[in-house]
Short mmCIF file of all heavy atoms in Angstrom, two decimals:
data_model
loop_
_atom_site.label_atom_id
_atom_site.label_comp_id
_atom_site.label_asym_id
_atom_site.label_seq_id
_atom_site.Cartn_x
_atom_site.Cartn_y
_atom_site.Cartn_z
N MET Y 1 -0.70 -10.53 -2.75
CA MET Y 1 -1.19 -10.32 -1.41
C MET Y 1 -2.03 -9.04 -1.42
O MET Y 1 -1.71 -8.11 -2.13
CB MET Y 1 0.01 -10.19 -0.47
CG MET Y 1 -0.34 -9.77 0.92
SD MET Y 1 1.09 -9.55 1.98
CE MET Y 1 1.73 -11.19 2.03
N GLN Y 2 -3.09 -9.04 -0.63
CA GLN Y 2 -3.96 -7.87 -0.55
C GLN Y 2 -4.16 -7.43 0.89
O GLN Y 2 -3.95 -8.21 1.82
CB GLN Y 2 -5.32 -8.15 -1.19
CG GLN Y 2 -5.24 -8.36 -2.68
CD GLN Y 2 -6.60 -8.42 -3.32
OE1 GLN Y 2 -7.62 -8.23 -2.66
NE2 GLN Y 2 -6.64 -8.67 -4.61
N GLY Y 3 -4.53 -6.18 1.05
CA GLY Y 3 -4.81 -5.64 2.37
C GLY Y 3 -5.69 -4.41 2.25
O GLY Y 3 -6.15 -4.07 1.16
N THR Y 4 -5.89 -3.74 3.37
CA THR Y 4 -6.73 -2.56 3.45
C THR Y 4 -5.91 -1.41 4.03
O THR Y 4 -5.13 -1.60 4.96
CB THR Y 4 -7.95 -2.85 4.36
OG1 THR Y 4 -8.62 -4.00 3.85
CG2 THR Y 4 -8.90 -1.69 4.41
N VAL Y 5 -6.11 -0.22 3.50
CA VAL Y 5 -5.39 0.96 3.99
C VAL Y 5 -5.90 1.30 5.39
O VAL Y 5 -7.07 1.59 5.57
CB VAL Y 5 -5.57 2.15 3.04
CG1 VAL Y 5 -4.87 3.39 3.60
CG2 VAL Y 5 -5.05 1.82 1.64
N ALA Y 6 -5.00 1.24 6.37
CA ALA Y 6 -5.35 1.59 7.74
C ALA Y 6 -5.00 3.05 8.02
O ALA Y 6 -5.76 3.76 8.68
CB ALA Y 6 -4.62 0.69 8.74
N THR Y 7 -3.83 3.49 7.54
CA THR Y 7 -3.43 4.89 7.65
C THR Y 7 -2.70 5.27 6.38
O THR Y 7 -2.07 4.44 5.74
CB THR Y 7 -2.49 5.16 8.85
OG1 THR Y 7 -1.23 4.52 8.62
CG2 THR Y 7 -3.08 4.70 10.15
N TYR Y 8 -2.81 6.54 6.02
CA TYR Y 8 -2.06 7.07 4.87
C TYR Y 8 -1.82 8.54 5.12
O TYR Y 8 -2.75 9.29 5.42
CB TYR Y 8 -2.81 6.87 3.56
CG TYR Y 8 -2.12 7.54 2.40
CD1 TYR Y 8 -0.89 7.07 1.96
CD2 TYR Y 8 -2.65 8.67 1.79
CE1 TYR Y 8 -0.23 7.70 0.92
CE2 TYR Y 8 -2.00 9.29 0.75
CZ TYR Y 8 -0.79 8.80 0.31
OH TYR Y 8 -0.12 9.42 -0.70
N ASP Y 9 -0.56 8.96 5.01
CA ASP Y 9 -0.18 10.36 5.19
C ASP Y 9 0.24 10.91 3.83
O ASP Y 9 1.29 10.53 3.30
CB ASP Y 9 0.97 10.45 6.19
CG ASP Y 9 1.39 11.88 6.49
OD1 ASP Y 9 1.05 12.80 5.71
OD2 ASP Y 9 2.05 12.08 7.52
N ALA Y 10 -0.58 11.77 3.26
CA ALA Y 10 -0.30 12.31 1.93
C ALA Y 10 0.98 13.15 1.89
O ALA Y 10 1.63 13.22 0.86
CB ALA Y 10 -1.49 13.15 1.46
N SER Y 11 1.36 13.76 3.00
CA SER Y 11 2.56 14.59 3.01
C SER Y 11 3.84 13.75 2.95
O SER Y 11 4.82 14.18 2.36
CB SER Y 11 2.58 15.51 4.23
OG SER Y 11 2.65 14.76 5.42
N THR Y 12 3.81 12.54 3.53
CA THR Y 12 4.99 11.67 3.48
C THR Y 12 4.82 10.54 2.46
O THR Y 12 5.78 9.82 2.18
CB THR Y 12 5.28 11.04 4.85
OG1 THR Y 12 4.18 10.19 5.20
CG2 THR Y 12 5.51 12.09 5.90
N ARG Y 13 3.59 10.38 1.93
CA ARG Y 13 3.25 9.33 0.97
C ARG Y 13 3.53 7.93 1.51
O ARG Y 13 3.88 7.03 0.79
CB ARG Y 13 3.97 9.55 -0.36
CG ARG Y 13 3.61 10.87 -1.02
CD ARG Y 13 4.33 11.12 -2.31
NE ARG Y 13 5.68 10.63 -2.44
CZ ARG Y 13 6.77 11.17 -1.93
NH1 ARG Y 13 6.69 12.28 -1.24
NH2 ARG Y 13 7.97 10.65 -2.13
N SER Y 14 3.38 7.74 2.81
CA SER Y 14 3.59 6.45 3.45
C SER Y 14 2.40 6.14 4.34
O SER Y 14 1.56 7.00 4.59
CB SER Y 14 4.89 6.45 4.26
OG SER Y 14 4.81 7.41 5.29
N GLY Y 15 2.34 4.90 4.81
CA GLY Y 15 1.24 4.55 5.68
C GLY Y 15 1.33 3.12 6.19
O GLY Y 15 2.39 2.49 6.13
N VAL Y 16 0.20 2.63 6.66
CA VAL Y 16 0.11 1.28 7.23
C VAL Y 16 -1.06 0.57 6.59
O VAL Y 16 -2.14 1.14 6.43
CB VAL Y 16 -0.07 1.33 8.76
CG1 VAL Y 16 -0.27 -0.06 9.34
CG2 VAL Y 16 1.12 2.03 9.41
N LEU Y 17 -0.83 -0.69 6.24
CA LEU Y 17 -1.87 -1.55 5.67
C LEU Y 17 -2.26 -2.59 6.70
O LEU Y 17 -1.43 -3.01 7.51
CB LEU Y 17 -1.35 -2.23 4.41
CG LEU Y 17 -0.79 -1.31 3.34
CD1 LEU Y 17 -0.11 -2.12 2.25
CD2 LEU Y 17 -1.89 -0.43 2.77
N LEU Y 18 -3.49 -3.02 6.64
CA LEU Y 18 -3.98 -4.08 7.50
C LEU Y 18 -4.22 -5.29 6.61
O LEU Y 18 -5.07 -5.26 5.71
CB LEU Y 18 -5.27 -3.65 8.19
CG LEU Y 18 -5.83 -4.60 9.23
CD1 LEU Y 18 -4.84 -4.81 10.38
CD2 LEU Y 18 -7.15 -4.07 9.76
N LEU Y 19 -3.43 -6.35 6.84
CA LEU Y 19 -3.58 -7.57 6.04
C LEU Y 19 -4.81 -8.34 6.49
O LEU Y 19 -5.37 -8.08 7.55
CB LEU Y 19 -2.33 -8.43 6.17
CG LEU Y 19 -1.00 -7.76 5.77
CD1 LEU Y 19 0.14 -8.75 5.89
CD2 LEU Y 19 -1.08 -7.20 4.36
N ASP Y 20 -5.23 -9.30 5.69
CA ASP Y 20 -6.44 -10.06 5.99
C ASP Y 20 -6.36 -10.83 7.30
O ASP Y 20 -7.39 -11.10 7.92
CB ASP Y 20 -6.76 -11.01 4.84
CG ASP Y 20 -7.15 -10.26 3.57
OD1 ASP Y 20 -7.53 -9.07 3.68
OD2 ASP Y 20 -7.07 -10.85 2.48
N ASP Y 21 -5.15 -11.18 7.73
CA ASP Y 21 -5.00 -11.91 8.99
C ASP Y 21 -4.88 -10.99 10.20
O ASP Y 21 -4.64 -11.42 11.32
CB ASP Y 21 -3.81 -12.86 8.93
CG ASP Y 21 -2.47 -12.15 8.83
OD1 ASP Y 21 -2.43 -10.90 8.81
OD2 ASP Y 21 -1.44 -12.85 8.77
N GLY Y 22 -5.03 -9.66 9.98
CA GLY Y 22 -4.96 -8.69 11.07
C GLY Y 22 -3.59 -8.08 11.29
O GLY Y 22 -3.44 -7.18 12.11
N THR Y 23 -2.59 -8.53 10.56
CA THR Y 23 -1.24 -8.02 10.69
C THR Y 23 -1.13 -6.62 10.09
O THR Y 23 -1.66 -6.38 9.00
CB THR Y 23 -0.23 -8.94 9.96
OG1 THR Y 23 -0.36 -10.26 10.46
CG2 THR Y 23 1.20 -8.46 10.13
N GLU Y 24 -0.46 -5.72 10.79
CA GLU Y 24 -0.19 -4.38 10.25
C GLU Y 24 1.12 -4.41 9.49
O GLU Y 24 2.09 -5.02 9.94
CB GLU Y 24 -0.13 -3.35 11.37
CG GLU Y 24 -1.46 -3.09 12.02
CD GLU Y 24 -1.43 -1.96 13.02
OE1 GLU Y 24 -0.31 -1.47 13.35
OE2 GLU Y 24 -2.49 -1.57 13.49
N LEU Y 25 1.13 -3.76 8.33
CA LEU Y 25 2.31 -3.75 7.48
C LEU Y 25 2.53 -2.32 6.98
O LEU Y 25 1.69 -1.77 6.26
CB LEU Y 25 2.11 -4.70 6.29
CG LEU Y 25 3.23 -4.81 5.28
CD1 LEU Y 25 4.48 -5.40 5.93
CD2 LEU Y 25 2.78 -5.68 4.12
N ALA Y 26 3.64 -1.71 7.39
CA ALA Y 26 3.96 -0.35 6.97
C ALA Y 26 4.49 -0.35 5.55
O ALA Y 26 5.14 -1.31 5.12
CB ALA Y 26 4.99 0.26 7.92
N PHE Y 27 4.20 0.73 4.82
CA PHE Y 27 4.79 0.88 3.49
C PHE Y 27 5.43 2.25 3.37
O PHE Y 27 4.90 3.24 3.86
CB PHE Y 27 3.75 0.64 2.38
CG PHE Y 27 2.66 1.66 2.30
CD1 PHE Y 27 2.79 2.78 1.49
CD2 PHE Y 27 1.49 1.51 3.03
CE1 PHE Y 27 1.77 3.72 1.41
CE2 PHE Y 27 0.47 2.44 2.95
CZ PHE Y 27 0.62 3.55 2.14
N PRO Y 28 6.59 2.31 2.71
CA PRO Y 28 7.32 3.57 2.56
C PRO Y 28 6.84 4.36 1.34
O PRO Y 28 6.13 3.83 0.48
CB PRO Y 28 8.77 3.11 2.37
CG PRO Y 28 8.63 1.81 1.65
CD PRO Y 28 7.38 1.17 2.23
N ALA Y 29 7.28 5.60 1.24
CA ALA Y 29 6.91 6.46 0.12
C ALA Y 29 7.31 5.84 -1.22
O ALA Y 29 6.56 5.94 -2.19
CB ALA Y 29 7.56 7.83 0.29
N ARG Y 30 8.45 5.19 -1.29
CA ARG Y 30 8.89 4.63 -2.57
C ARG Y 30 7.93 3.55 -3.07
O ARG Y 30 7.76 3.39 -4.28
CB ARG Y 30 10.33 4.13 -2.49
CG ARG Y 30 10.55 2.94 -1.62
CD ARG Y 30 12.03 2.51 -1.60
NE ARG Y 30 12.22 1.44 -0.66
CZ ARG Y 30 12.37 1.57 0.64
NH1 ARG Y 30 12.38 2.78 1.17
NH2 ARG Y 30 12.52 0.53 1.42
N ALA Y 31 7.28 2.82 -2.17
CA ALA Y 31 6.30 1.81 -2.58
C ALA Y 31 5.05 2.48 -3.15
O ALA Y 31 4.47 2.01 -4.12
CB ALA Y 31 5.94 0.91 -1.42
N PHE Y 32 4.63 3.58 -2.54
CA PHE Y 32 3.49 4.34 -3.07
C PHE Y 32 3.86 4.97 -4.40
O PHE Y 32 3.10 4.91 -5.37
CB PHE Y 32 3.04 5.40 -2.07
CG PHE Y 32 1.93 6.25 -2.59
CD1 PHE Y 32 0.63 5.76 -2.64
CD2 PHE Y 32 2.17 7.53 -3.07
CE1 PHE Y 32 -0.40 6.53 -3.15
CE2 PHE Y 32 1.15 8.31 -3.57
CZ PHE Y 32 -0.14 7.80 -3.61
N ASP Y 33 5.04 5.57 -4.48
CA ASP Y 33 5.48 6.24 -5.72
C ASP Y 33 5.56 5.25 -6.88
O ASP Y 33 5.28 5.60 -8.02
CB ASP Y 33 6.83 6.91 -5.51
CG ASP Y 33 6.75 8.09 -4.54
OD1 ASP Y 33 5.63 8.58 -4.28
OD2 ASP Y 33 7.81 8.51 -4.04
N ALA Y 34 5.95 4.00 -6.61
CA ALA Y 34 6.06 2.99 -7.66
C ALA Y 34 4.71 2.59 -8.23
O ALA Y 34 4.62 2.01 -9.31
CB ALA Y 34 6.78 1.75 -7.11
N SER Y 35 3.63 2.92 -7.52
CA SER Y 35 2.30 2.51 -7.94
C SER Y 35 1.74 3.37 -9.06
O SER Y 35 0.89 2.92 -9.82
CB SER Y 35 1.33 2.57 -6.75
OG SER Y 35 1.05 3.92 -6.42
N GLY Y 36 2.14 4.62 -9.12
CA GLY Y 36 1.56 5.55 -10.07
C GLY Y 36 0.24 6.15 -9.59
O GLY Y 36 -0.39 6.92 -10.30
N LEU Y 37 -0.18 5.80 -8.37
CA LEU Y 37 -1.42 6.34 -7.81
C LEU Y 37 -1.21 7.78 -7.34
O LEU Y 37 -0.08 8.19 -7.05
CB LEU Y 37 -1.88 5.49 -6.64
CG LEU Y 37 -2.24 4.04 -6.95
CD1 LEU Y 37 -2.52 3.27 -5.66
CD2 LEU Y 37 -3.43 3.98 -7.88
N ARG Y 38 -2.29 8.52 -7.23
CA ARG Y 38 -2.22 9.90 -6.74
C ARG Y 38 -2.57 10.00 -5.28
O ARG Y 38 -2.12 10.92 -4.59
CB ARG Y 38 -3.13 10.78 -7.56
CG ARG Y 38 -2.62 10.90 -8.99
CD ARG Y 38 -3.53 11.63 -9.91
NE ARG Y 38 -4.15 12.80 -9.32
CZ ARG Y 38 -5.09 13.49 -9.92
NH1 ARG Y 38 -5.51 13.15 -11.10
NH2 ARG Y 38 -5.63 14.53 -9.32
N LEU Y 39 -3.39 9.08 -4.75
CA LEU Y 39 -3.75 9.10 -3.34
C LEU Y 39 -4.35 7.77 -2.94
O LEU Y 39 -4.66 6.93 -3.78
CB LEU Y 39 -4.76 10.23 -3.03
CG LEU Y 39 -6.12 10.16 -3.73
CD1 LEU Y 39 -7.12 9.42 -2.88
CD2 LEU Y 39 -6.61 11.57 -3.99
N LEU Y 40 -4.46 7.57 -1.65
CA LEU Y 40 -5.12 6.39 -1.09
C LEU Y 40 -6.14 6.88 -0.07
O LEU Y 40 -5.95 7.92 0.55
CB LEU Y 40 -4.11 5.47 -0.38
CG LEU Y 40 -3.14 4.72 -1.26
CD1 LEU Y 40 -2.10 4.01 -0.40
CD2 LEU Y 40 -3.86 3.72 -2.15
N ARG Y 41 -7.21 6.12 0.10
CA ARG Y 41 -8.24 6.45 1.08
C ARG Y 41 -8.26 5.38 2.17
O ARG Y 41 -8.02 4.20 1.89
CB ARG Y 41 -9.62 6.49 0.42
CG ARG Y 41 -9.79 7.61 -0.57
CD ARG Y 41 -11.20 7.62 -1.14
NE ARG Y 41 -11.70 6.31 -1.52
CZ ARG Y 41 -11.56 5.75 -2.72
NH1 ARG Y 41 -10.92 6.38 -3.66
NH2 ARG Y 41 -12.07 4.56 -2.96
N LEU Y 42 -8.56 5.78 3.39
CA LEU Y 42 -8.68 4.82 4.48
C LEU Y 42 -9.76 3.80 4.12
O LEU Y 42 -10.82 4.16 3.60
CB LEU Y 42 -9.04 5.54 5.78
CG LEU Y 42 -8.02 6.55 6.29
CD1 LEU Y 42 -8.50 7.13 7.60
CD2 LEU Y 42 -6.66 5.93 6.43
N GLY Y 43 -9.48 2.55 4.38
CA GLY Y 43 -10.42 1.48 4.08
C GLY Y 43 -10.35 0.96 2.66
O GLY Y 43 -11.02 0.00 2.31
N GLN Y 44 -9.52 1.59 1.83
CA GLN Y 44 -9.40 1.17 0.44
C GLN Y 44 -8.65 -0.16 0.34
O GLN Y 44 -7.66 -0.39 1.03
CB GLN Y 44 -8.66 2.25 -0.35
CG GLN Y 44 -8.59 2.02 -1.82
CD GLN Y 44 -8.02 3.23 -2.55
OE1 GLN Y 44 -7.33 4.06 -1.95
NE2 GLN Y 44 -8.29 3.33 -3.83
N ARG Y 45 -9.12 -1.04 -0.51
CA ARG Y 45 -8.49 -2.33 -0.73
C ARG Y 45 -7.33 -2.15 -1.71
O ARG Y 45 -7.46 -1.46 -2.73
CB ARG Y 45 -9.53 -3.27 -1.33
CG ARG Y 45 -9.12 -4.68 -1.34
CD ARG Y 45 -9.32 -5.27 0.03
NE ARG Y 45 -9.06 -6.69 -0.08
CZ ARG Y 45 -8.58 -7.41 0.87
NH1 ARG Y 45 -8.35 -6.88 2.05
NH2 ARG Y 45 -8.34 -8.67 0.72
N VAL Y 46 -6.16 -2.72 -1.39
CA VAL Y 46 -4.98 -2.59 -2.24
C VAL Y 46 -4.28 -3.94 -2.41
O VAL Y 46 -4.46 -4.86 -1.61
CB VAL Y 46 -3.96 -1.57 -1.67
CG1 VAL Y 46 -4.52 -0.17 -1.70
CG2 VAL Y 46 -3.52 -1.95 -0.28
N ARG Y 47 -3.50 -4.02 -3.46
CA ARG Y 47 -2.63 -5.18 -3.69
C ARG Y 47 -1.21 -4.77 -3.30
O ARG Y 47 -0.78 -3.64 -3.59
CB ARG Y 47 -2.67 -5.61 -5.15
CG ARG Y 47 -1.87 -6.88 -5.40
CD ARG Y 47 -2.02 -7.38 -6.81
NE ARG Y 47 -1.41 -6.39 -7.69
CZ ARG Y 47 -1.74 -6.23 -8.96
NH1 ARG Y 47 -2.72 -6.93 -9.49
NH2 ARG Y 47 -1.13 -5.34 -9.70
N ILE Y 48 -0.49 -5.67 -2.65
CA ILE Y 48 0.84 -5.38 -2.13
C ILE Y 48 1.87 -6.28 -2.81
O ILE Y 48 1.66 -7.49 -2.89
CB ILE Y 48 0.88 -5.64 -0.61
CG1 ILE Y 48 -0.21 -4.85 0.09
CG2 ILE Y 48 2.25 -5.33 -0.04
CD1 ILE Y 48 -0.83 -5.59 1.23
N GLU Y 49 2.95 -5.68 -3.27
CA GLU Y 49 4.06 -6.45 -3.80
C GLU Y 49 5.25 -6.26 -2.86
O GLU Y 49 5.55 -5.15 -2.44
CB GLU Y 49 4.42 -5.97 -5.21
CG GLU Y 49 3.32 -6.23 -6.22
CD GLU Y 49 3.65 -5.70 -7.59
OE1 GLU Y 49 4.86 -5.56 -7.92
OE2 GLU Y 49 2.71 -5.42 -8.34
N ARG Y 50 5.90 -7.39 -2.54
CA ARG Y 50 7.04 -7.36 -1.63
C ARG Y 50 8.26 -7.96 -2.32
O ARG Y 50 8.14 -8.79 -3.20
CB ARG Y 50 6.72 -8.15 -0.37
CG ARG Y 50 5.58 -7.50 0.43
CD ARG Y 50 4.95 -8.41 1.41
NE ARG Y 50 5.75 -8.56 2.62
CZ ARG Y 50 5.33 -9.14 3.71
NH1 ARG Y 50 4.14 -9.67 3.77
NH2 ARG Y 50 6.10 -9.24 4.76
N ASP Y 51 9.45 -7.54 -1.87
CA ASP Y 51 10.68 -8.11 -2.40
C ASP Y 51 11.06 -9.36 -1.61
O ASP Y 51 10.33 -9.77 -0.70
CB ASP Y 51 11.81 -7.08 -2.43
CG ASP Y 51 12.22 -6.58 -1.05
OD1 ASP Y 51 11.82 -7.19 -0.03
OD2 ASP Y 51 12.93 -5.56 -1.00
N ALA Y 52 12.20 -9.95 -1.94
CA ALA Y 52 12.64 -11.19 -1.29
C ALA Y 52 12.86 -11.01 0.21
O ALA Y 52 12.71 -11.95 0.98
CB ALA Y 52 13.92 -11.69 -1.95
N ALA Y 53 13.18 -9.79 0.63
CA ALA Y 53 13.41 -9.50 2.05
C ALA Y 53 12.11 -9.20 2.80
O ALA Y 53 12.14 -9.00 4.01
CB ALA Y 53 14.39 -8.34 2.20
N GLY Y 54 11.00 -9.14 2.08
CA GLY Y 54 9.71 -8.87 2.72
C GLY Y 54 9.32 -7.41 2.75
O GLY Y 54 8.27 -7.06 3.26
N GLU Y 55 10.16 -6.53 2.19
CA GLU Y 55 9.86 -5.10 2.16
C GLU Y 55 8.78 -4.82 1.11
O GLU Y 55 8.79 -5.41 0.03
CB GLU Y 55 11.11 -4.29 1.79
CG GLU Y 55 12.22 -4.39 2.80
CD GLU Y 55 11.93 -3.62 4.07
OE1 GLU Y 55 11.29 -2.55 3.99
OE2 GLU Y 55 12.32 -4.09 5.14
N VAL Y 56 7.85 -3.93 1.43
CA VAL Y 56 6.83 -3.54 0.47
C VAL Y 56 7.48 -2.67 -0.58
O VAL Y 56 8.10 -1.65 -0.28
CB VAL Y 56 5.67 -2.77 1.16
CG1 VAL Y 56 4.64 -2.33 0.14
CG2 VAL Y 56 5.04 -3.62 2.25
N VAL Y 57 7.34 -3.07 -1.86
CA VAL Y 57 7.97 -2.32 -2.95
C VAL Y 57 6.95 -1.65 -3.85
O VAL Y 57 7.30 -0.76 -4.63
CB VAL Y 57 8.90 -3.22 -3.80
CG1 VAL Y 57 10.07 -3.70 -2.98
CG2 VAL Y 57 8.14 -4.39 -4.39
N ARG Y 58 5.66 -2.06 -3.74
CA ARG Y 58 4.63 -1.45 -4.57
C ARG Y 58 3.27 -1.68 -3.94
O ARG Y 58 2.98 -2.77 -3.47
CB ARG Y 58 4.68 -2.05 -5.97
CG ARG Y 58 3.83 -1.33 -6.98
CD ARG Y 58 4.13 -1.86 -8.37
NE ARG Y 58 3.30 -1.20 -9.34
CZ ARG Y 58 2.79 -1.77 -10.41
NH1 ARG Y 58 3.06 -3.03 -10.66
NH2 ARG Y 58 2.03 -1.10 -11.24
N VAL Y 59 2.45 -0.63 -3.95
CA VAL Y 59 1.09 -0.70 -3.46
C VAL Y 59 0.19 -0.24 -4.61
O VAL Y 59 0.31 0.89 -5.07
CB VAL Y 59 0.88 0.23 -2.25
CG1 VAL Y 59 -0.57 0.21 -1.79
CG2 VAL Y 59 1.80 -0.17 -1.10
N THR Y 60 -0.67 -1.12 -5.11
CA THR Y 60 -1.53 -0.79 -6.23
C THR Y 60 -2.97 -1.18 -5.93
O THR Y 60 -3.23 -1.85 -4.93
CB THR Y 60 -1.08 -1.52 -7.52
OG1 THR Y 60 -1.17 -2.93 -7.30
CG2 THR Y 60 0.31 -1.14 -7.93
N LEU Y 61 -3.86 -0.80 -6.82
CA LEU Y 61 -5.24 -1.23 -6.70
C LEU Y 61 -5.35 -2.65 -7.22
O LEU Y 61 -4.61 -3.04 -8.13
CB LEU Y 61 -6.15 -0.30 -7.51
CG LEU Y 61 -6.13 1.17 -7.09
CD1 LEU Y 61 -7.05 1.97 -7.98
CD2 LEU Y 61 -6.52 1.32 -5.65
N PRO Y 62 -6.24 -3.45 -6.67
CA PRO Y 62 -6.37 -4.85 -7.10
C PRO Y 62 -6.66 -5.00 -8.60
O PRO Y 62 -6.34 -6.01 -9.18
CB PRO Y 62 -7.52 -5.39 -6.27
CG PRO Y 62 -7.58 -4.51 -5.08
CD PRO Y 62 -7.13 -3.16 -5.55
N THR Y 63 -7.25 -3.98 -9.20
CA THR Y 63 -7.61 -4.06 -10.62
C THR Y 63 -6.48 -3.65 -11.55
O THR Y 63 -6.60 -3.79 -12.75
CB THR Y 63 -8.83 -3.18 -10.91
OG1 THR Y 63 -8.54 -1.85 -10.49
CG2 THR Y 63 -10.05 -3.69 -10.16
N MET Y 64 -5.37 -3.13 -11.00
CA MET Y 64 -4.24 -2.70 -11.84
C MET Y 64 -3.32 -3.88 -12.10
O MET Y 64 -3.11 -4.73 -11.25
CB MET Y 64 -3.45 -1.58 -11.15
CG MET Y 64 -4.23 -0.30 -11.00
SD MET Y 64 -3.32 0.99 -10.13
CE MET Y 64 -2.08 1.39 -11.32
N ALA Y 65 -2.72 -3.88 -13.28
CA ALA Y 65 -1.77 -4.96 -13.63
C ALA Y 65 -0.40 -4.67 -13.09
O ALA Y 65 -0.03 -3.61 -12.77
CB ALA Y 65 -1.70 -5.11 -15.13
#
């Protein structure tokens, strides 16, 4: 699944993604930390991984494996 960064707070390492259907999806710091990324920019395209419960567990760049 992919989306676009709508908000990102570097101090809390969390934010909100905008999915292609317009749905907003919040992600916690642990999902950002699992990515290995150093920062996100507003409008940046990202790939989202979710667990069985639908929680975001990882936010990465579309080009990362």
Side-chain angles (χ1 to χ4, degrees):
M1 172 183 296
Q2 293 189 4
T4 304
V5 177
T7 67
Y8 174 67
D9 183 341
S11 64
T12 64
R13 300 178 327 281
S14 62
V16 176
L17 306 170
L18 186 61
L19 303 182
D20 293 340
D21 67 0
T23 305
E24 291 186 351
L25 179 64
F27 67 91
R30 68 180 175 278
F32 177 76
D33 293 343
S35 72
L37 297 173
R38 293 174 40 188
L39 62 92
L40 290 173
R41 293 183 316 270
L42 298 182
Q44 186 172 21
R45 192 80 173 149
V46 294
R47 185 175 66 205
I48 305 143
E49 295 177 25
R50 295 162 78 169
D51 63 14
E55 296 287 325
V56 178
V57 295
R58 190 171 179 216
V59 177
T60 61
L61 299 179
T63 57
M64 294 177 70

